[in-house]
Amino acid sequence: MTTIQRDTERLYLDYAATWPMRPEVWEAMGAELRHGFNPASAHRPGRRAHRCLELARGRIGELLGCERSCLFFTGGGTQSDNLAILGFVRSHQDLSPRVFVSEIEHKACLEAAERGEAEGARAYRIPVDGSGALDLEWLRRELEADPAAPTLISVMWANNEIGTVQSMDDIVALGHEYGALVHTDAVQALGKVEVDLERTPVDLLSATAHKLGGPVGIGLLYRRPGVTLEPLSYGGGQERSMWPGTQNPIGATGFATALALAIGDRESKVARWTALRDHLEARLIAEIPDARIHGREAPLRLPNLVSVGIPGCDSGAVLVSLDFEGIAASGGSACGSDSSVGSGVLDAIGIAGDAPYAAVRFSFGHETSLADIDRAADAIARVAARVVALTA
């Protein structure tokens, strides 16, 4: 019987789930700890906290290419997505609004659209091809069917499970041609692809700090001027008297610092990550029989994410074995980590069936090295061979 030695040196390759807090973020937040008062208060400590909150808002606006008045802090990405979709539905509730979400959206958007449908909206799912790219001709036909209806298109800028990056310029142009608003969940895109709200004029954008090396529990929603959303809560001193969210100056400082670090020197980081991604994919294909890289045919993909499918394996067994070897990876979305449920994203791109099929996502960050990638490739090749043998 083979004896497996547990590796005590952990290798973290799950940055797409959450990005460990950057030391610079800790330092920036620590400098504000003694000023952590209520920014809505009129006294001097409250005014100091309010100034801190607005400085962070202004810094984020500069980084995204928008006015700070368009940014609203929330409790995270899910709350921001919910606010964009349900806020739109409820502000047009008497007009039978339409909501289009792609088949590979995050659950925060898919389930918000379902909730909107229960409240009188018409919800549609935009099909994707085998790489995860949207079928824009299908979307055009549906938009043409009822051009007078209030319409929201909600599409992830970059997919969190397989890394497909959508052509947001084309999606925005198409939506605006038919008078639709466009919302994007940019949680995974920020820091990896160019997100400039002047160049790509989406109407609503969601983000969260912990995917950038910032704190958990603070996100934001960008709302273009003129866009009307119904609040989701009332009477609780919500963000700028309009939104369910947070008025946390310390968290906002952490968000702004993390975003600046993520966007700074992006091109050189993307080049390094792309080389690491391509190296890992080449090794996986060479060393694991019938391995499949999900989304590899997409015109544009995230540079720091690899999703590999391994026939004949159970996802849970592979992930547990990798963890036993000291490697933190995931099966896809961190919000759907129960491997018994399966992945709606893989179903949408045509990977389905009753046979065992493991999906493993590796995602890396600023500290990931080539040696780390080789260690991960060695480990998953061993693990796959072992799990296939046990499953057979």
Side-chain angles (χ1 to χ4, degrees), residues 23-359:
E24 300 92 334
V25 175
W26 280 109
E27 183 178 352
M29 294 174 64
E32 297 297 334
L33 280 174
R34 63 191 182 93
H35 303 296
F37 297 95
N38 188 340
S41 299
H43 48 60
R44 181 176 293 180
R47 294 196 303 273
R48 173 66 177 79
H50 182 267
R51 180 174 178 272
C52 174
L53 186 70
E54 293 308 311
L55 284 173
R57 197 190 310 272
R59 189 180 185 192
I60 293 171
E62 291 175 0
L63 292 166
L64 294 181
C66 68
E67 295 295 326
R68 70 176 186 174
S69 60
C70 298
L71 298 173
F72 302 87
F73 291 113
T74 69
T78 293
Q79 191 180 80
S80 179
D81 286 335
N82 283 191
L83 177 56
I85 294 174
L86 290 175
F88 169 83
V89 168
R90 292 173 185 176
S91 67
H92 299 86
Q93 203 154 22
D94 297 333
L95 300 173
S96 187
R98 297 185 298 175
V99 176
F100 290 89
V101 293
S102 83
E103 291 182 316
I104 60 171
E105 290 304 299
H106 191 279
K107 287 184 178 180
C109 291
L110 291 173
E111 294 187 12
E114 290 176 3
R115 178 66 239 176
E117 192 168 33
E119 296 181 11
R122 292 171 287 163
Y124 305 85
R125 294 198 179 185
I126 309 167
V128 297
D129 64 18
S131 73
L134 259 64
D135 185 340
L136 294 184
E137 288 307 310
W138 181 95
L139 179 58
R140 178 181 291 277
R141 290 193 299 271
E142 292 297 323
L143 291 173
E144 286 176 344
D146 189 3
T151 300
L152 177 71
I153 301 167
S154 180
V155 175
M156 294 179 84
W157 200 312
N159 184 262
N160 59 319
E161 290 193 39
I162 62 175
T164 301
V165 176
Q166 302 295 344
S167 177
M168 287 309 303
D169 290 348
D170 294 338
I171 293 167
V172 171
L174 177 59
H176 288 178
E177 179 182 345
Y178 290 92
L181 299 180
V182 178
H183 164 250
T184 185
D185 179 330
V187 164
Q188 294 292 342
L190 283 173
K192 294 95 177 177
V193 301
E194 183 179 5
V195 176
D196 184 332
L197 293 170
E198 291 184 356
R199 195 191 101 174
T200 309
V202 297
D203 302 288
L204 297 157
L205 178 145
S206 298
T208 192
H210 79 99
K211 304 287 189 176
L212 303 167
V216 174
I218 184 163
L220 65 80
L221 177 69
Y222 161 79
R223 183 197 63 163
R224 186 168 295 283
V227 174
T228 302
L229 297 178
E230 180 72 14
L232 301 191
S233 63
Y234 301 89
Q238 48 269 26
E239 161 75 339
R240 297 161 77 192
S241 301
M242 294 181 68
W243 313 105
T246 179
Q247 295 191 37
N248 178 356
I250 298 171
T253 297
F255 197 141
T257 305
L259 182 59
L261 290 168
I263 291 178
D265 197 25
R266 181 181 62 84
E267 290 186 4
S268 65
K269 288 186 290 191
V270 165
R272 187 176 71 84
W273 286 334
T274 301
L276 294 178
R277 181 196 70 190
D278 293 348
H279 179 74
L280 177 57
E281 290 180 354
R283 287 208 54 191
L284 294 174
I285 291 170
E287 298 178 30
I288 301 176
D290 301 322
R292 175 173 182 174
I293 305 300
H294 304 132
R296 197 179 192 192
E297 304 83 9
L300 185 62
R301 296 185 293 149
L302 286 175
N304 70 323
L305 187 150
V306 173
S307 174
V308 59
I310 309 171
C313 285
D314 173 76
S315 287
V318 171
L319 293 172
V320 168
S321 297
L322 286 173
D323 185 54
F324 194 82
E325 296 210 11
I327 296 174
S330 70
S333 172
C335 298
S337 58
D338 182 355
S339 63
S340 66
V341 174
S343 167
V345 173
L346 296 187
D347 289 344
I349 64 173
I351 299 175
D354 297 328
Y357 186 86

